[in-house]
Amino acid sequence: AEWSQLAISIYLFFALVLWESAVTLFYIAHQSIGVNLFLTTSERAEVEVIDNYIGLLAVFGSSIPVMILTMDVTNTTMIIFFTVVALLAGVLMYISVPQIKEKPEFYEKQEEDSLSFKDFMAATWGLLKDRSFLLFFLTFFFLQSIVNNYLLGYTYLYDNVILSEGLWSGLPDILIGIGAAISFPISYRWIKKFGTKTVLLRMMAISMIAYVALTFIPATSGESLNMVSIFGMDVPGEFSYWAATLLYFAIYFGFVGVFMTNTPIARRLIDHLEIKTGHRRPGTISGIIGVLLTPGNAVLVFFYTQIISAFGYDGATKVQTLTSQWGIRIATGIMPAVLILLGLFFLSRYPIDKKLEDEIEDQILEIHAD
């Protein structure tokens, strides 16, 4: 029997709630285990290289479910596909999770985390009054809003200013993923040498400058992307296409700084708070961080849609007016640059630099290492 639209909406709502709850629980457990298993900045950065390489699989594999959902296939085919994916993920977790060997004696030195709502809110308020935690939160509230939603501006720019479509709209994103794979080991070496704060400051400054430059990308002349033949293959012949792609390489290179440092910085902050308060609460702190940073994902989306609407964007047409194109440029370039600048402002005042980072590491090793 066919489901009504109401039934489908209710089902999807509860499925989304279940998914978000599972993701949150996974995040808290992942952070808690990671902060306990890996105590040095070098180890934590090395783990991030591996995590990010695994994460890059999404760049190459995300087209598969999109094709399934957009092709004319039966519900049975989609159910089989996603069931196989879920079973495969379950098997991988069943094999890998038991291999994580934790030390029981480590938890003898750790405070039991409280899960009551009242205590959670009290703990959140207490953390926000701590200067280090507040600056960490403000930094990543702005930076992760840009990083998590970069495809929004990318899509509008390539679609309505550069006028690309199909393969040529998606190819830069795939190439950017390959570039990121090369950048992870480089940033790992920089973190070991300069510390997480300095690396993040410098790499995101590159993204900010590239975003400003992206604002002035010229629009494609005519009503379609100009193609030229090179060695018998048709490729984009517009300067704007290749200039935007080069700038997005620079933007994403800066994003690698966030991917590589956000978890090590958060874990070192947990260590810092343990030394300061005498209580080790990785689960509670990770949960609070997750809750506080979640609304930041909507910041860019809200301002982006407001800006392009104010400049007269027309979603029914691919070729926009000159005014609308400038709205897309400002929302895609200037606005992210401003949000990054705000994030870097708070990061510059974050007190845990390389020197303090090393001091905290030494104290944590003395407390917890064998």
Side-chain angles (χ1 to χ4, degrees):
E2 292 290 333
W3 286 18
S4 67
Q5 287 298 318
L6 177 61
I8 293 174
S9 298
I10 294 174
Y11 170 79
L12 290 176
F13 171 77
F14 283 105
L16 181 60
V17 170
L18 180 63
W19 167 259
E20 290 292 345
S21 300
V23 169
T24 300
L25 290 173
F26 174 83
Y27 168 80
I28 295 172
H30 178 267
Q31 285 290 79
S32 300
I33 290 175
V35 75
N36 291 341
L37 289 180
F38 310 104
L39 300 181
T40 69
T41 299
S42 178
E43 287 177 332
R44 290 169 176 176
E46 189 173 353
V47 169
E48 287 308 297
V49 173
I50 299 171
D51 278 355
N52 281 293
Y53 273 133
I54 295 173
L56 276 180
L57 294 176
V59 175
F60 305 104
S62 57
S63 59
I64 297 176
V66 171
M67 290 173 60
I68 291 290
L69 291 171
T70 55
M71 292 167 55
D72 186 15
V73 297
T74 64
N75 289 338
T76 302
T77 302
M78 287 192 289
I79 291 172
I80 292 174
F81 172 78
F82 287 107
T83 300
V84 170
V85 171
L87 289 175
L88 179 60
V91 169
L92 291 174
M93 292 185 67
Y94 178 80
I95 295 172
S96 59
V97 171
Q99 305 306 315
I100 300 174
K101 305 298 182 184
E102 297 187 272
K103 302 175 182 178
E105 61 271 17
F106 185 94
Y107 290 90
E108 295 174 2
K109 305 173 184 179
Q110 179 174 305
E111 289 284 321
E112 182 178 353
D113 287 348
S114 173
L115 297 178
S116 73
F117 180 76
K118 180 180 178 180
D119 289 341
F120 184 85
M121 294 303 295
T124 300
W125 177 242
L127 286 174
L128 287 173
K129 291 190 291 184
D130 181 89
R131 180 171 178 267
S132 298
F133 184 90
L134 179 61
L135 288 170
F136 166 87
F137 158 63
L138 292 173
T139 294
F140 285 98
F141 184 86
F142 291 107
L143 295 188
Q144 290 194 173
S145 176
I146 304 301
V147 173
N148 292 343
N149 296 286
Y150 100 99
L151 277 176
L152 178 64
Y154 170 99
T155 302
Y156 279 97
L157 185 75
Y158 276 92
D159 187 34
N160 299 120
V161 177
I162 298 174
L163 305 182
S164 64
E165 57 187 356
L167 169 66
W168 299 112
S169 292
L171 182 62
D173 189 40
I174 296 175
L175 295 176
I176 287 167
I178 296 173
I182 299 172
S183 303
F184 291 138
I186 297 173
S187 60
Y188 165 69
R189 289 193 291 270
W190 287 350
I191 288 171
K192 290 178 63 177
K193 183 176 182 180
F194 303 110
T196 51
K197 175 182 174 179
T198 298
V199 170
L200 182 56
L201 273 169
R202 293 177 179 177
M203 294 185 73
M204 282 306 290
I206 294 173
S207 293
M208 182 179 65
I209 294 170
Y211 264 124
V212 173
L214 199 64
T215 307
F216 304 99
I217 288 293
T220 294
S221 56
E223 296 188 355
S224 63
L225 181 64
N226 177 41
M227 305 293 288
V228 297
S229 179
I230 298 179
F231 302 115
M233 179 181 179
D234 286 340
V235 300
E238 297 280 353
F239 166 80
S240 57
Y241 180 90
W242 298 108
T245 300
L246 180 62
L247 289 173
Y248 267 112
F249 263 97
I251 288 168
Y252 212 83
F253 177 76
F255 287 179
V256 168
V258 176
F259 300 147
M260 285 294 299
T261 64
N262 60 352
T263 298
I265 289 177
R267 290 172 178 172
R268 189 58 72 210
L269 177 63
I270 291 172
D271 295 335
H272 169 68
L273 291 171
E274 176 189 2
I275 294 170
K276 184 175 181 179
T277 65
H279 304 297
R280 187 169 183 81
R281 300 178 298 170
T284 295
I285 295 174
S286 296
I288 291 171
I289 289 173
V291 170
L292 291 178
L293 291 182
T294 297
N297 292 329
V299 172
L300 181 76
V301 177
F302 173 78
F303 285 112
Y304 196 100
T305 54
Q306 293 300 308
I307 290 173
I308 63 174
S309 297
F311 278 78
Y313 174 78
D314 183 1
T317 179
K318 186 177 183 70
V319 180
Q320 301 292 316
T321 64
L322 181 61
T323 301
S324 180
Q325 287 178 358
W326 271 108
I328 293 172
R329 288 195 185 94
I330 292 171
T332 302
I334 295 297
M335 185 188 63
V338 171
L339 294 179
I340 291 174
L341 183 62
L342 286 171
L344 295 184
F345 170 79
F346 293 116
L347 178 61
S348 67
R349 283 152 177 76
Y350 183 67
I352 304 179
D353 55 10
K354 179 69 165 63
K355 182 176 181 295
L356 184 54
E357 198 171 60
D358 291 342
E359 292 175 1
I360 295 171
E361 179 178 307
D362 291 339
Q363 294 180 65
I364 288 297
L365 288 173
E366 184 177 343
I367 296 171
H368 294 294
D370 292 332

